[in-house]
Amino acid sequence: MSTADDLTIRATSDSLLKASAPPRKRNMAQYIRWVLLFGGGLLMVMPLAYMISTSMKWPWEVYNIGLIPEEPTLENYTYVLEDGRFFGWFINSLVIATITTLSALFFDSLVGYTLCKFKFRGRYIIFIAILSTLMIPTEMLVIPWYMMSQSLGWLDSYWGIMFPGLMTAFGVFLMKQFFETVPDDFLEAARIDGLNEFQIWWQVAMPMVRPALAALAIFIFLGNWTAFLWPLIVTTSPDLYTLPVGLSSFGDEADVAWELIMTGAAISTIPTLVFFLIFQRFIIRGVVMAGLKG
Amino acid sequence: MNRPFRTALAALATSAAALTSASAQEVTIEYWQYFFEARVDAMEILIENFEAANPNINVEMTHFPYADYRTRTAVAVPAGEGPDIVQLFYGWLNDYIEAGLIQPLPTDTFSPAMVEAEFFPMVRAMERDGAYYALPTAVRSLALFYNQRLLDAAGVEVPTTLEELVAAAAATTERDGAGNITQVGLTTGMTAQDHHWFREVLIRQFGGEPYLDDYQTVNYDTDAGRAALGFYLGLEEAGVSQSGFMDEPQAAFRGNRAAFHIDGSFRIGALNDSRGLEWGVTELPAGADGTQSNYSSYWVNAITSSAEGPEYEASVLFMEYLTSPEAMQIWLDVVGELPARQSVGMTEENANDDVFGPFIRGLAYAQTTKFADESAQRQVLVDMIERVQLQDMDPGESLRMAAEAEQAILDGYYNN
Amino acid sequence: MASDPSASRTEARGSAYSRLSITQKRTLWAWGFLAVPIVFYVVIRFYPTGNAMVLSLQEWNLLGDRTWAGLDNYRTLFADPVFWQVFRNTFVYLLLGTPISLVISFIIAYHLDKVRFMHGTIRALYFVPFMTSAVAMAWVWRWFYQDVPIGLFNNWLATFGIAQIDFLDSTTNALPSILAPAIWAGLGFQVIIFMAGLRAIPRTFYEAAEIDGVSTWTVLWEITLPLLRPTIVFIVVLSSIGFLRIFDHVFNMTSANPGGPLNSTKPLVLMIYQTAFSSFDMGYAAAQTVVLFTILLIVSLIQLRLLRDR
């Protein structure tokens, strides 16, 4: 049942996408527009070009203004990648970001759904309370988290790094908005069919907001991939460092090796870029759906 | 190497073994430091040597990135997750003692008399109430780096006094058609090492003393202070320097665009890696009346209060080894940090080394500022310069404000 | 009728559950779903937050004991001229950042929407900055802002014979100079949201306008923007929270002289970070956190009220 409906919805939104795309109009204005936009896009990525250029420079060339290094080198990349620890950090970040993303997807949508589709006393208060957790900077929470981890033996472990990020208020907010677009009739029909509430959420409602889940996945993954302060504080073993923490060891009290930092940054961007390119179609589709019904 | 010392160490080891032979158990102690490849390498060598001489002691080293190192240790140690021996920056000693995190080193092995006689003078800052709480293996100081190629091109000699420095810097500053500096004579920047140069060197060279009462009272709102500030600001006014040139002073020097650069011995490693940079180093220039001064900072090792019984005994032994001449020489060779003992520093070889010599000789007359909050106190001087340069404030007025602000920081700290 | 598994289960369990009305059963499910998350939020977020609020009334340097200080921290805070500078800075970030990024991202989205050739590539170009390391980008922008001979912008100005500009070394220019990369990084996100919102507007509106011969400008003002209102409000809420909480960009770009020059770029979160991890004055930092929390709460509640008025 759900698959057929899902396909219908997907087909409808696809055709709507095509239909709502503006018709082709070739004229001067169109050309100018394209050139300006493309130029703007190139300007947008200019800093990245310099980042990559710096990653291919020897240390004494780092501040040279040219975009093309006088003596380009892949030495920085080999240095960073051959550092035996680099691969471990990469895997740590990947595992942790993936697990927290899956957990957040599950719990955030469960909570968002509940706050949206169930009417009960205290619903709004809980929503505001959860939203208010967005207003405390992580920097202040790090110390109590450390004390907590220490007494529970969570220090220096994957769990210790992950636990603060397993559910997010941002995700709850986002999913709640998207669940508003799921018609109650579908849910009622499922109830009549004898599904319990959990099954209704999992089998009926969730597939209908799959695009929103894709969008959320990107943002949560990105957030966890780049997290620095907490993973730094909770780990002592170098094998457990996440990528940002590991890369920061290329700088110390006296010096920061910027060419290595740029190299590390360039390498770290690749997974998020891949993630984005795969999922970007879903985002537009999903937000379109929300826009249509909302 | 040093045979008598080796014998002594062996004797010590056997007596230690005798001490612990009653229980005949293996003791494991934990050591923490921040990650820096050379330091970790050096420490591994030291640990190996120590474990060989003390077969029943096992030393576990833990290290982590420098970023937020202090937060890391500050959060872990009080939570009981700390090591037996911890490395800390000398400036944090007061905080650690007050919180009861470290215990004094035993006065029989580390008698104040011994330390005063054998270590460089600025190590005395680690003493409290007749006992030493921590000791460094290595120290750093400041010196004047210069770019040989730029000096040769301008036909300038290496300066030895402040006056000569200004003249040499003037000769090596270059500008483009529009008057912008493209090559600076002397790098300046309060955000780097200059605030140390100002505090402990310039003020003294102009006849003042930056602090009184064991660094609890600010004393640079004086004629000497104003003269020193005038000199410092004058560098930029005379056109031989520009704060903020190429963002960081050391970047300008490494990029072959600065003739002179005042920096610490920790910069040596980075400069060695800069291909195409021909550099030399000399002692900091003396004042008009020949006064020489220097600033020294250091990371120290201390025994935490959680070390007891056999762990404590083992820690004392390890501390002894860490502060031994042998360890210091190894550290100098591997890390490039200066030895804390005069005997090691002032050997023929070390004191006249082309690179380390000027730094080591500077240790003889170096001071160590007892900071209450180093970054806040540094910010005070940074702001002082910016008020003059960005807001056209009168230098004397800005100096007065800085002195007030810094005194407030010190008062807040000591009157608690 | 298909067998009702829940019915048979409840019968086996006894009559307590089955005596509940449908609404009550649903409420039970709701609380069941919320049980674990509520425990999580209470333990991981609310308890430390409560801790921070209590801490704001105490004095603690992380290593020693905590001592009670009453409202001293707050008194010191409100009497501190640096705090008011920081307060001002934080709102400047908000009042400049949100409208500027809103307008720019809308213009980009509006025109990008009308482009077909290489649409996906251009869209990716605008989104990529959002994904790159903040530390790396801060350093690159900082490098761009340097003076001749290494600063890109000043070198461009020099080729046109224009005098150099002090971007970061000036109490007036520093904040906008740091705001620029912050806006730059967030553009892609907003462009995507706007594009989706634009695509959701049915073409019938535009076709009708074409038939009536309405000008493009009027179409924009009378049709597109009003229909985009929900999207605009969503972006404004998120953007506001983001700019009020700005930290990474400022910290990374002014690392040697944080919040400088002379506190002209320091936002509230940076002040909190320094108080906590530089001065280790945890009670004072907690007081600042409570103030930030209050500001964010008020601003967000106001904006949520606007959201509800639809």
Side-chain angles (χ1 to χ4, degrees), chain C residues 47-65:
Chain C
Y47 171 69
T49 305
N51 216 321
M53 294 193 175
V54 169
L55 190 52
S56 72
L57 302 171
Q58 296 174 319
E59 220 181 290
W60 186 40
N61 72 346
L62 252 200
L63 298 181
D65 298 319

Side-chain angles (χ1 to χ4, degrees), chain A residues 211-279:
Chain A
L213 292 173
L216 186 60
I218 293 193
F219 293 124
I220 306 260
F221 187 82
L222 201 55
N224 278 289
W225 186 255
T226 51
F228 178 73
L229 189 61
W230 173 244
L232 171 75
I233 300 234
V234 77
T235 52
T236 41
S237 328
D239 335 309
L240 278 181
Y241 293 162
T242 54
L243 202 50
V245 176
L247 289 178
S248 77
S249 56
F250 290 130
D252 74 337
E253 185 187 10
D255 221 349
V256 183
W258 288 110
E259 66 283 359
L260 293 178
I261 303 269
M262 294 300 128
T263 311
I267 300 177
S268 321
T269 311
I270 296 176
T272 43
L273 194 59
V274 167
F275 214 94
F276 171 71
L277 290 174
I278 296 176
F279 285 105

Side-chain angles (χ1 to χ4, degrees), chain C:
Chain C
M1 182 147 183
S3 68
D4 187 354
S6 59
S8 48
R9 247 189 291 131
T10 49
E11 280 181 276
R13 231 181 248 156
S15 48
Y17 180 70
S18 54
R19 249 193 262 135
L20 297 171
S21 71
I22 294 186
T23 326
Q24 286 172 319
K25 279 184 197 165
R26 299 257 295 268
T27 310
L28 209 59
W29 273 102
W31 287 106
F33 285 159
L34 291 177
V36 170
I38 287 184
V39 169
F40 176 86
Y41 282 111
V42 166
V43 171
I44 307 289
R45 301 271 169 183
F46 295 136
Y47 171 69
T49 305
N51 216 321
M53 294 193 175
V54 169
L55 190 52
S56 72
L57 302 171
Q58 296 174 319
E59 220 181 290
W60 186 40
N61 72 346
L62 252 200
L63 298 181
D65 298 319
R66 303 189 190 201
T67 53
W68 284 99
L71 292 175
D72 278 350
N73 287 326
Y74 290 99
R75 274 187 218 116
T76 320
L77 188 64
F78 293 131
D80 185 2
V82 175
F83 169 71
W84 291 107
Q85 169 84 45
V86 163
F87 190 84
R88 202 169 27 243
N89 292 342
T90 311
F91 272 96
V92 172
Y93 281 117
L94 168 70
L95 294 171
L96 281 183
T98 301
I100 293 179
S101 61
L102 197 71
V103 168
I104 296 182
S105 57
F106 176 72
I107 293 176
I108 294 172
Y110 180 74
H111 289 285
L112 187 54
D113 186 45
K114 298 188 186 332
V115 158
R116 306 311 314 274
F117 181 60
M118 281 178 71
H119 176 96
T121 314
I122 300 186
R123 193 169 65 198
L125 283 181
Y126 282 96
F127 195 75
V128 163
F130 187 65
M131 291 187 293
T132 40
S133 149
V135 171
M137 290 300 101
W139 180 81
V140 173
W141 275 88
R142 192 182 165 83
W143 181 32
F144 284 169
Y145 282 134
Q146 292 304 307
D147 289 335
V148 161
I150 61 169
L152 192 67
F153 297 152
N154 278 322
N155 271 10
W156 283 348
L157 290 177
T159 47
F160 292 121
I162 307 176
Q164 288 196 80
I165 300 181
D166 265 330
F167 288 103
L168 296 174
D169 242 347
S170 145
T171 48
T172 42
N173 296 342
L175 195 151
S177 303
I178 292 180
L179 192 53
I183 294 177
W184 166 82
L187 272 184
F189 172 76
Q190 296 185 344
V191 166
I192 299 266
I193 305 277
F194 263 129
M195 285 200 54
L198 283 170
R199 289 288 174 90
I201 299 175
R203 293 226 52 78
T204 47
F205 282 107
Y206 294 125
E207 281 154 18
E210 238 183 281
I211 293 172
D212 284 351
V214 179
S215 75
T216 332
W217 195 248
T218 321
V219 169
L220 178 61
W221 276 107
E222 305 289 337
I223 301 179
T224 315
L225 284 178
L227 286 173
L228 270 182
R229 192 155 170 269
T231 316
I232 294 177
V233 178
F234 180 68
I235 291 183
V236 167
V237 174
L238 285 183
S239 179
S240 305
I241 293 185
F243 280 113
L244 285 172
R245 276 184 61 172
I246 194 172
F247 171 72
D248 280 352
H249 290 104
V250 185
F251 184 68
N252 289 328
M253 285 189 77
T254 58
S255 42
N257 184 6
L262 292 175
N263 295 321
S264 56
T265 59
K266 194 181 287 192
L268 195 43
V269 180
L270 178 52
M271 189 179 187
I272 295 174
Y273 180 84
Q274 282 184 309
T275 313
F277 296 120
S278 249
S279 310
F280 288 97
D281 195 353
M282 308 308 294
Y284 196 45
Q288 294 162 6
T289 310
V290 170
V291 171
L292 175 67
F293 177 83
T294 313
I295 295 175
L296 281 168
L297 194 61
I298 293 176
V299 172
S300 302
L301 282 178
I302 292 176
Q303 289 170 334
L304 279 177
R305 191 128 289 261
L306 290 178
L307 244 181
R308 284 178 109 196
D309 280 349
R310 259 202 315 116

Side-chain angles (χ1 to χ4, degrees), chain B residues 50-99:
Chain B
F50 180 73
E51 284 181 345
N54 297 276
N56 66 318
I57 303 183
N58 183 32
V59 182
E60 299 265 331
M61 168 171 65
T62 305
H63 54 76
F64 25 84
Y66 181 73
D68 290 293
Y69 173 85
R70 183 163 183 202
T71 309
R72 195 72 197 61
T73 33
V75 174
V77 178
E81 283 293 314
D84 298 289
I85 299 191
V86 69
Q87 183 185 84
L88 56 143
F89 191 60
Y90 84 92
W92 311 342
L93 190 75
N94 281 337
D95 291 328
Y96 276 58
I97 294 178
E98 257 176 58

Side-chain angles (χ1 to χ4, degrees), chain A:
Chain A
M1 177 207 95
S2 47
T3 339
D5 266 22
D6 177 48
L7 283 174
T8 319
I9 294 168
R10 205 186 289 179
T12 323
S13 70
D14 269 353
S15 59
L16 275 164
L17 260 175
K18 286 214 182 71
S20 64
R24 290 168 191 255
K25 254 193 322 190
R26 304 272 175 103
N27 59 22
M28 202 49 175
Q30 187 72 350
Y31 283 126
I32 296 180
R33 174 181 286 140
W34 188 92
V35 166
L36 286 177
L37 273 176
F38 189 70
L42 289 182
L43 278 181
M44 283 292 282
V45 296
M46 190 176 67
L48 273 109
Y50 277 92
M51 173 182 93
I52 296 181
S53 147
T54 309
S55 72
M56 297 201 283
K57 288 182 180 168
W58 290 100
W60 73 89
E61 258 201 86
V62 163
Y63 279 99
N64 280 7
I65 200 170
L67 186 54
I68 318 275
E70 275 170 50
E71 221 185 291
T73 171
L74 289 177
E75 169 74 23
N76 297 323
Y77 283 92
T78 39
Y79 181 85
V80 170
L81 290 172
E82 268 175 9
D83 190 325
R85 311 166 292 164
F86 183 84
F87 191 64
W89 299 336
F90 193 87
I91 297 291
N92 289 338
S93 276
L94 200 58
V95 169
I96 289 168
T98 308
I99 296 181
T100 38
T101 304
L102 291 173
S103 164
L105 284 177
F106 181 82
F107 283 106
D108 290 352
S109 38
L110 185 58
V111 174
Y113 174 77
T114 311
L115 291 177
C116 167
K117 292 300 181 190
F118 288 85
K119 317 266 185 278
F120 57 94
R121 258 216 306 258
R123 184 168 78 133
Y124 190 62
I125 306 257
I126 293 188
F127 174 59
I128 294 293
I130 291 181
L131 206 58
S132 72
T133 63
L134 278 176
M135 302 173 200
I136 299 276
T138 325
E139 289 78 14
M140 274 314 284
L141 299 175
V142 152
I143 310 250
W145 285 346
Y146 186 87
M147 304 283 181
M148 197 187 303
S149 312
Q150 191 240 338
S151 44
L152 292 170
W154 292 347
L155 289 178
D156 217 25
S157 65
Y158 267 13
W159 176 253
I161 303 176
M162 289 193 309
F163 79 83
L166 292 175
M167 303 183 206
T168 73
F170 170 72
V172 168
F173 188 22
L174 193 70
M175 294 315 297
K176 175 173 172 301
Q177 297 299 95
F178 279 97
F179 276 118
E180 305 273 4
T181 72
V182 171
D184 291 344
D185 315 328
F186 282 113
L187 307 178
E188 274 310 313
R191 271 191 204 107
I192 294 171
D193 275 359
L195 294 178
N196 68 38
E197 295 297 334
F198 186 82
Q199 289 166 318
I200 295 174
W201 169 67
W202 185 253
Q203 294 173 13
V204 180
M206 283 288 265
M208 296 179 74
V209 291
R210 223 179 261 151
L213 292 173
L216 186 60
I218 293 193
F219 293 124
I220 306 260
F221 187 82
L222 201 55
N224 278 289
W225 186 255
T226 51
F228 178 73
L229 189 61
W230 173 244
L232 171 75
I233 300 234
V234 77
T235 52
T236 41
S237 328
D239 335 309
L240 278 181
Y241 293 162
T242 54
L243 202 50
V245 176
L247 289 178
S248 77
S249 56
F250 290 130
D252 74 337
E253 185 187 10
D255 221 349
V256 183
W258 288 110
E259 66 283 359
L260 293 178
I261 303 269
M262 294 300 128
T263 311
I267 300 177
S268 321
T269 311
I270 296 176
T272 43
L273 194 59
V274 167
F275 214 94
F276 171 71
L277 290 174
I278 296 176
F279 285 105
Q280 68 164 327
R281 293 175 297 138
F282 290 109
I283 306 178
I284 303 286
R285 187 186 295 151
V287 191
V288 168
M289 281 171 55
L292 283 176
K293 316 251 174 107

